Amino acid sequence: MMPRYCVQKETIPTMFRRLFIDHPKSVDENYVQHFGVAGRFGLTMIWGGMKALVHAVIPGLCITSGSDTVKRLNTIMVEQRRAKGQDVAQTLTVDWVI
């Protein structure tokens, strides 16, 4: 007997839809498009993070790389939402440098 607090088991099609279809569809993309966009964002964040670590060790190098990466990704995300006609939340100006 399953305890009352356990969530009912999802069916495979429901779980597949939730994991691979629902979110990409919510941002007007299919899985392959979302994979490309999210993958590029992820790699860009990793590259920016590596530059920020270089800056942490040698402060004279990669001085604005971290904040430049954040600004660039934010701009891309806002422009993509506008292009797709989605609401864009008011963004704050970045007043600091990583």
Side-chain angles (χ1 to χ4, degrees):
M1 186 171 154
M2 189 183 302
R4 288 184 186 183
Y5 57 84
C6 286
V7 177
Q8 259 189 333
K9 206 172 189 181
E10 286 184 291
T11 63
I12 297 296
T14 302
M15 185 186 312
F16 180 84
R17 186 177 334 104
R18 181 177 57 82
L19 293 174
F20 295 99
I21 297 173
D22 291 348
H23 173 65
K25 187 176 180 179
S26 75
V27 293
D28 198 29
E29 296 170 344
N30 63 36
Y31 176 80
V32 173
Q33 291 168 326
H34 190 270
F35 181 88
V37 172
R40 280 190 300 278
F41 262 67
L43 290 173
T44 301
M45 286 191 280
I46 290 169
W47 184 243
M50 289 172 38
K51 289 181 187 178
L53 289 172
V54 167
H55 174 69
V57 175
I58 307 170
L61 296 178
C62 305
I63 296 170
T64 63
S65 296
S67 56
D68 291 346
T69 300
V70 171
K71 287 178 198 176
R72 186 171 62 254
L73 289 174
N74 181 63
T75 300
I76 292 167
M77 187 177 290
V78 168
E79 287 173 359
Q80 284 181 347
R81 287 180 184 164
R82 282 194 180 121
K84 292 179 181 179
Q86 297 172 344
D87 290 333
V88 178
Q90 180 66 32
T91 56
L92 300 174
T93 303
V94 178
D95 293 328
W96 38 267
V97 175
I98 297 175

